[in-house]
Amino acid sequence: MGILSWALWGLFVGAFARLLKPGRQAIGFWLTILLGIGGSILGGIIATKVLHVADSDEFDIGSFFIAVGTSVVILLVWERVDRMLPDRKRQDELRR
């Protein structure tokens, strides 16, 4: 049940983060789940260890907002890195 709850939570947080960021994101279902899980873990660490605003054993709305905000930041970084990488489709077309 733990893996399923992490996946559902990741999907919820990741989808909410994608809704907050304008424009189309080139990530699918599984990367949305990973985005939400990654944002939740990193946001949880920031909230409990750095900001001291959340409990590590209970859900609260502040932790949710921190998880979503962290997921948005991860999404922004992901898109920036993806833009910096060479476009393989375009390079293949130029070689023909």
Side-chain angles (χ1 to χ4, degrees):
M1 186 68 183
I3 293 174
L4 181 61
S5 63
W6 271 99
L8 288 174
W9 179 252
L11 178 63
F12 181 67
V13 170
F16 202 83
R18 287 181 67 183
L19 285 172
L20 289 178
K21 194 212 166 282
R24 185 174 187 276
Q25 295 86 29
I27 64 173
F29 177 76
W30 297 109
L31 285 177
T32 300
I33 291 174
L34 290 176
L35 170 71
I37 292 171
S40 296
I41 291 172
L42 187 59
I45 291 170
I46 291 171
T48 57
K49 304 294 184 198
V50 178
L51 300 176
H52 304 290
V53 295
D55 297 326
S56 60
D57 59 347
E58 270 182 33
F59 172 79
D60 58 355
I61 196 72
S63 297
F64 170 73
F65 288 135
I66 291 173
V68 170
T70 308
S71 295
V72 169
V73 170
I74 291 172
L75 185 59
L76 291 170
V77 170
W78 171 271
E79 287 182 344
R80 178 71 177 179
V81 168
D82 189 46
R83 270 190 264 136
M84 290 183 347
L85 295 175
D87 188 11
R88 284 183 238 131
K89 290 179 186 177
R90 179 74 177 143
Q91 287 181 355
D92 289 342
E93 290 174 5
L94 292 175
R95 289 183 189 150
R96 293 181 191 174

